[in-house]
């Protein structure tokens, strides 16, 4: 998509790009802060966003090596190790030595982690239902058709980030 004009080295966005930019900014702010606050309030679980991400991956995959979990989350191992340590301290995750490689660790959800994950998922589902009730059925259809296009563009942008000069 072409931009409308250039002012020096500053590029101006066309009206559609401005709408997308402003909407994306609102979505990011809401999803990073307000959404998490509401999830915690409604689930009754005091849990960090990073731990929710860990539990989500473990729920889908079961037990994982820390290196595999780091890859799935797109994090380096040292960052994930700190997050896993917090999840272990909170009682949501257990960490054990991998019997096939004593240098590696396996992580899995504890019963408390499974219960917390289910509570957060229920709260998330209720929140999504509440959010979509604010829209007409036609608007829900429009958003559900448009968002995958935005996700694809974001994923393509992320994938090409390393290939640019």
């Amino acid at each position: 998509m072409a931009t409308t004009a250039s002012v020096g080295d500053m590029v101006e966005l066309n009206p559609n790009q401005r709408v997308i930019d402003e909407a994306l900014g609102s979505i990011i702010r809401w999803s990073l802060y307000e959404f998490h606050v509401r999830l915690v309030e409604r689930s009754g679980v005091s849990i960090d966003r990073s731990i929710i991400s860990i539990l989500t991956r473990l729920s889908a995959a079961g037990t994982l090596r820390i290196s595999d979990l780091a890859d799935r989350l797109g994090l380096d191992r040292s960052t994930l190790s700190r997050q896993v340590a917090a999840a272990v301290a909170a009682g949501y995750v257990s960490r054990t030595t991998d019997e096939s490689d004593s240098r590696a660790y396996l992580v899995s959800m504890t019963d408390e982690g499974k219960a917390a994950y289910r509570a957060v998922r229920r709260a998330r589902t209720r929140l999504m239902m509440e959010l979509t009730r604010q829209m007409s059925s036609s608007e829900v259809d429009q958003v559900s058709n448009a968002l995958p296009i935005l996700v694809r563009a974001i994923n393509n942008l992320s994938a090409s980030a390393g290939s640019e000069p």
Side-chain angles (χ1 to χ4, degrees):
M1 181 179 285
T3 56
T4 55
S6 244
V7 180
D9 60 351
M10 185 74 162
V11 177
E12 291 186 32
L13 300 175
N14 69 38
N16 288 336
Q17 290 169 323
R18 273 196 304 277
V19 168
I20 292 169
D21 180 53
E22 290 171 10
L24 190 56
S26 293
I27 290 168
I28 290 168
R29 280 187 301 282
W30 193 81
S31 64
L32 287 177
Y33 304 107
E34 185 69 24
F35 188 75
H36 181 72
V37 167
R38 289 182 187 212
L39 276 181
V40 168
E41 286 173 355
R42 292 169 188 215
S43 69
V45 177
S46 179
I47 190 167
D48 188 78
R49 284 189 308 264
S50 63
I51 294 175
I52 294 172
S53 294
I54 290 169
L55 295 180
T56 300
R57 295 322 179 280
L58 292 176
S59 175
T63 301
L64 288 171
R65 282 180 140 193
I66 287 186
S67 58
D68 293 334
L69 183 56
D71 290 343
R72 290 176 188 222
L73 290 169
L75 298 171
D76 63 70
R77 287 185 198 137
S78 63
T79 298
L80 182 63
S81 291
R82 287 189 298 277
Q83 292 177 357
V84 166
V88 168
Y92 297 133
V93 170
S94 65
R95 188 178 81 163
T96 57
T97 303
D98 186 343
E99 292 178 12
S100 66
D101 181 353
S102 61
R103 298 168 297 166
Y105 291 97
L106 298 172
V107 290
S108 57
M109 276 198 284
T110 61
D111 289 341
E112 188 176 344
K114 290 174 185 175
Y117 177 73
R118 284 192 302 271
V120 168
R121 290 301 305 170
R122 281 191 303 271
R124 183 183 177 110
T125 298
R126 288 191 304 270
L127 194 50
M128 283 297 102
M129 292 173 77
E130 184 180 327
L131 179 67
T132 56
R133 277 196 294 268
Q134 306 299 313
M135 301 177 224
S136 69
S137 61
S138 146
E139 290 170 329
V140 170
D141 289 343
Q142 289 174 345
V143 171
S144 68
N145 288 327
L147 284 178
I149 296 167
L150 182 59
V151 169
R152 184 188 69 230
I154 289 168
N155 288 339
N156 288 341
L157 189 62
S158 295
S160 67
S163 63
E164 292 182 23

